[in-house]
Amino acid sequence: MMGRQLRNAFAAWGLCLGMAPAWCQGTAALLPAELFFKGPAIRQAKLSPSGRWVAVTAAIGGQRVGLLSLDLSDPGKSVKLAHFSDVDVGEFHWVGDERLVFKVRQDDRGSADQQWAPGLQSVSRASGEIRTLVDADRSALREHTTVKSTVLPFNHVLLSVPTAGPGNEVVVGEYDYDGRNLLGLQPKRLNLETGRATPMAGARVDNATAWLFDTRGQPRVAVAVKDGRASLHWRDDKQPDWQRLAEFDALEWPYRPVHVDDQGRLLVLESSGSGGVDVLKRFDMATQRPEVQALVSTPGFSVGRELAVDERSGRLLGVHVDTDAYGVVWFDPRLKAVQAETDKRWPDRVNRLSCARCLEPDMVVLVHSWSDRDPGQFWVHRVADKSWQKVGDSRPDVDPRRMATLDFHRIKARDGKDLPLWLTLPAGHKKGDRPPAVVLVHGGPWVRGGHWEWNPMAQFLASRGYAVIEPEFRGSTGYGGAHYRAGWKQWGTTMQDDVADALEWARQQGQVSASQACIAGASYGGYAALMGPIRHPQLYRCAIAWVAVTDPVLRMKWSAMSDLSDEGRNFSLPQLIGDPVADLPLLKAASPLERAAELKLPLLLGFGADDRRVPLEHGTRLRDALKAQGREPEWVVYTGEGHGGWTTEHQVDWAGRMERFLAQHLK
């Protein structure tokens, strides 16, 4: 009954949570592309520190995303805290039980026209009074402000929300830019009652661009980067001076700081074993090294930076991990028991817990539960009385029964190195089916591409009958330093071979068609989609690339349009891709633009008109080169768009172009 009342409260604002969409009523028609690419009904959900309230960001009335508060002691009672006609509420945080802070964005504007400085607002949970703390860089929200106060300029950003303290302040940082390069980030305390910011005493480290704070908001770790070198600095809570712990190449971290626990000890991630996977350790200040014994390790996968911490004490409760699916290692026995109970209630799913009053008998737990086929549900569990209340569904109009399955595999590349990959098979797939395949290459490329969760692009392609192969080629992160470093200076060579090997494996396993495959991707993935038909022309029938790098040398070239920093141009990218002078032959051989004569398969290209990461020049140069050879590609440029975060309208349009292109060349 409580869950139904909560859902009804949302439905009153037009969210339609739990209502069956039309296509669930017996029709077998293709699911509309908009189903996959529109924003979720519920974006975030977070418990207040007391566990009495849960705040959510949700699309209200099918329009702008607003911030809502639900009173868990009075199910069905919901309050709109912030909802605007011209902006959407983005990331938010509780600051005690009485206030929340939030950022804004504009989901209906192209990514290039999106404000890059989202500002900061605070809202009173009880009164709904809104105070502008930091201006957004474009449409400032002062017209929505109900409490007048000092407003910081847009070059300030939220850094930390202290969880042990009076509950009336946050930590912000002031960016120092020279127009292109980040020179430093200066922390300040920001009082939410007055709007006044004061610099932190002693919180100054030259060239520091990243900080780590304890639960009281005290700066404890600073990371400084300059001229390709990084330095790590530590400050004991009883000493005013900063201590330099290490200095190293900016791409060769000996360990990475992640948390200061309730006893003032530093926790770090250090690479371990032949694969160099990150494990969680305590740092020994006496030896200036991480301890020998690891707190958490996940063989074959690096431990991530997400920790479960008691907000009041700073005590480490557990560590969230991401292996072949999200999981958690609990140190706290009660939470370990709650996790087991939750997993029994919803088996074969990821059930992620966050708690309020975590160490008290009346602990309250928020559960985010999802699978590869279900985008997710939110529930609140009161441990003391064993009650469960449903908050709502992330995407209520997605029917998991019609979604595709996703599995993780580890195979061997042609040179014997490990090659992780993800395989999505269409709903209803049976043994012996061999659907046409789309090899979907992730961007970055120095990121982890896949996770065991519902993915809009892979699900959309699977809904059209395609198997989707997503390789974690060398250079990808999350699988150890050895896998990451194996991709340095390997654009277009062994990184590209890994993509081909993933397709060949799926064919040999009888999972996909032996002859029908297209390669696709965005950013670096778009680059790989262009290099695939050049290096392995026999494998693919077509290629789809959007916001694609078409020439590595052009990527590193100075341009007023590019957002590439001098640090990246002069130090990082020459190490990761190749030096534009010393390695010029290597880079030319790895350039789709230089080798455009070898691009003979059908191509679909899409770009953002105002992309600063991969400027439109990448696309126009390649298009002109192909046109001169009589092979003009299919082509679209989206006005107002940058490198990512395209509007739903443009994502749906692009998906439709992909669908028609694949139907023409692959089926």
Side-chain angles (χ1 to χ4, degrees):
M1 176 63 71
M2 289 183 177
R4 187 181 308 120
Q5 287 176 315
L6 282 172
R7 293 198 311 182
N8 289 341
F10 277 110
W13 285 321
L15 291 178
C16 303
L17 300 184
M19 299 178 68
W23 50 261
C24 289
Q25 311 301 321
T27 178
L30 287 177
L31 303 176
E34 185 180 12
L35 175 81
F36 299 92
F37 297 106
K38 68 180 180 180
I42 297 180
R43 311 295 175 97
Q44 285 183 293
K46 294 183 180 181
L47 285 169
S48 70
S50 71
R52 176 174 174 178
W53 292 277
V54 60
V56 302
T57 44
I60 299 177
Q63 301 297 319
R64 293 287 188 184
V65 175
L67 178 63
L68 315 173
S69 173
L70 306 174
D71 188 343
L72 298 176
S73 67
D74 185 7
K77 183 179 180 181
S78 308
V79 176
K80 283 191 289 185
L81 298 177
H83 187 224
F84 312 114
S85 62
D86 54 348
V87 291
D88 300 278
V89 176
E91 175 189 351
F92 73 90
H93 300 272
W94 286 96
V95 185
D97 259 27
E98 298 305 317
R99 293 182 181 84
L100 300 96
V101 292
F102 62 91
K103 303 175 185 179
V104 296
R105 61 189 186 210
Q106 292 171 299
D107 290 347
D108 60 342
R109 298 177 71 165
S111 54
D113 202 26
Q114 186 68 248
Q115 47 198 19
W116 62 268
L120 189 67
Q121 316 289 314
S122 71
V123 59
S124 165
R125 179 197 54 76
S127 68
E129 291 182 335
I130 293 175
R131 182 190 300 270
T132 298
L133 302 168
V134 178
D135 255 342
D137 65 322
R138 294 203 177 167
S139 60
L141 287 182
R142 295 191 186 189
E143 64 269 25
H144 303 301
T145 299
T146 54
V147 178
K148 303 302 180 182
S149 66
T150 302
V151 178
L152 295 173
F154 65 83
N155 65 330
H156 288 73
V157 63
L158 181 67
L159 295 182
S160 176
V161 177
T163 55
N168 65 350
E169 66 179 22
V170 297
V171 179
V172 297
E174 181 179 5
Y175 282 121
D176 180 14
Y177 272 103
D178 66 359
R180 176 184 296 268
N181 302 289
L182 176 59
L183 304 178
L185 182 61
Q186 180 62 38
K188 300 178 180 180
R189 292 194 179 277
L190 176 59
N191 188 293
L192 302 185
E193 296 175 353
T194 65
R196 294 174 183 168
T198 55
M200 289 185 170
R204 181 168 291 279
V205 175
D206 290 343
N207 306 117
T209 56
W211 298 83
L212 186 63
F213 303 86
D214 62 20
T215 57
R216 294 173 294 121
Q218 294 293 331
R220 305 298 297 276
V221 176
V223 178
V225 179
K226 185 177 182 181
D227 297 337
R229 300 288 294 173
S231 56
L232 188 63
H233 306 260
W234 165 259
R235 186 187 186 196
D236 188 277
D237 63 347
K238 299 179 179 63
Q239 300 293 331
D241 298 327
W242 287 89
Q243 176 184 0
R244 185 190 295 260
L245 295 180
E247 183 174 344
F248 42 89
D249 185 290
L251 293 177
E252 297 282 1
W253 289 66
Y255 47 83
R256 293 180 182 271
V258 292
H259 178 63
V260 179
D261 69 14
D262 57 334
Q263 295 177 320
R265 296 176 299 188
L266 177 63
L267 301 182
V268 301
L269 294 174
E270 182 183 44
S271 62
S272 173
S274 59
V277 295
D278 288 341
V279 300
L280 183 68
K281 295 184 174 183
R282 289 192 176 95
F283 190 83
D284 186 339
M285 290 295 171
T287 64
Q288 299 284 283
R289 292 293 307 164
E291 294 180 354
V292 174
Q293 185 65 39
L295 292 174
V296 176
S297 62
T298 49
F301 301 87
S302 289
V303 175
R305 302 173 66 91
E306 290 191 84
L307 309 181
V309 178
D310 177 58
E311 292 190 341
R312 293 186 173 186
S313 67
R315 173 180 163 186
L316 182 63
L317 303 174
V319 180
H320 296 284
V321 297
D322 191 4
T323 57
D324 56 344
Y326 285 98
V328 65
V329 178
W330 288 116
F331 302 132
D332 183 84
R334 289 181 68 215
L335 280 162
K336 187 175 182 179
V338 173
Q339 185 74 59
E341 178 187 1
T342 307
D343 291 344
K344 183 178 180 180
R345 183 182 181 94
W346 290 297
D348 304 319
R349 297 172 66 89
V350 171
N351 299 302
R352 183 180 175 120
L353 312 183
S354 57
C355 57
R357 298 182 60 79
C358 305
L359 302 178
E360 304 299 328
D362 59 348
M363 173 173 60
V364 181
V365 178
L366 177 68
V367 181
H368 184 197
S369 178
W370 74 85
S371 74
D372 56 337
R373 304 176 71 184
D374 185 344
Q377 304 172 354
F378 295 93
W379 291 77
V380 171
H381 174 44
R382 293 184 180 276
V383 175
D385 61 15
K386 300 182 179 181
S387 65
W388 295 85
Q389 298 174 226
K390 187 172 184 180
V391 177
D393 298 284
S394 174
R395 294 178 180 267
D397 49 357
V398 169
D399 183 353
R401 296 169 299 179
R402 299 192 66 179
M403 296 295 110
T405 58
L406 173 65
D407 287 301
F408 177 80
H409 301 271
R410 274 189 192 272
I411 67 171
K412 292 295 183 181
R414 64 188 65 186
D415 61 0
K417 292 187 181 297
D418 283 339
L419 174 56
L421 65 86
W422 301 87
L423 179 63
T424 299
L425 295 174
H429 181 272
K430 299 180 179 62
K431 187 176 181 179
D433 291 348
R434 296 192 176 191
V438 175
V439 183
L440 188 61
V441 188
H442 72 70
W446 308 288
V447 298
R448 173 170 167 160
H451 306 273
W452 195 75
E453 61 189 9
W454 188 90
N455 177 279
M457 180 57 77
Q459 289 287 348
F460 169 72
L461 292 170
S463 76
R464 269 51 184 172
Y466 303 104
V468 181
I469 303 164
E470 298 176 84
E472 299 278 14
F473 47 84
R474 67 195 68 193
S476 302
T477 59
Y479 304 94
H483 190 70
Y484 163 56
R485 289 181 181 84
W488 290 16
K489 295 189 178 183
Q490 295 298 308
W491 281 41
T493 54
T494 58
M495 291 171 74
Q496 200 69 47
D497 291 343
D498 286 351
V499 174
D501 290 348
L503 172 59
E504 291 280 35
W505 170 85
R507 285 176 167 173
Q508 291 170 8
Q509 294 294 310
Q511 300 275 25
V512 302
S513 168
S515 60
Q516 297 166 287
C518 182
I519 184 169
S523 193
Y524 171 84
Y527 162 85
L530 297 173
M531 278 302 297
I534 294 173
R535 189 166 177 87
H536 307 104
Q538 75 283 3
L539 294 184
Y540 310 107
R541 289 192 179 182
C542 56
I544 303 172
W546 59 109
V547 295
V549 175
T550 65
D551 181 28
V553 175
L554 183 60
R555 171 74 182 98
M556 291 183 280
K557 182 181 178 182
W558 189 93
S559 166
M561 183 61 186
S562 172
D563 66 356
L564 182 60
S565 69
D566 292 342
E567 192 76 31
R569 176 178 299 100
N570 297 328
F571 300 102
S572 299
L573 292 190
Q575 287 182 264
L576 293 168
I577 303 176
D579 187 280
V581 177
D583 299 316
L584 186 58
L586 171 74
L587 296 177
K588 284 191 173 183
S591 170
L593 180 60
E594 291 283 342
R595 302 177 65 176
E598 300 172 66
L599 269 172
K600 298 180 180 180
L601 296 180
L603 296 178
L604 171 61
L605 302 178
F607 287 87
D610 303 302
D611 192 340
R612 298 189 64 220
R613 184 64 46 84
V614 179
L616 183 57
E617 183 182 4
H618 281 262
T620 55
R621 283 193 181 191
L622 181 63
R623 180 197 59 182
D624 293 346
L626 293 170
K627 185 176 180 180
Q629 298 168 21
R631 296 194 311 278
E632 185 171 3
E634 292 192 34
W635 168 269
V636 61
V637 176
Y638 292 107
T639 302
E641 295 291 7
H643 196 62
W646 288 1
T647 64
T648 299
E649 177 185 358
H650 288 154
Q651 290 186 70
V652 170
D653 180 82
W654 177 248
R657 291 172 186 269
M658 291 179 64
E659 180 178 7
R660 294 187 292 273
F661 182 82
L662 290 169
Q664 179 181 354
H665 298 292
L666 201 53
K667 287 189 175 180

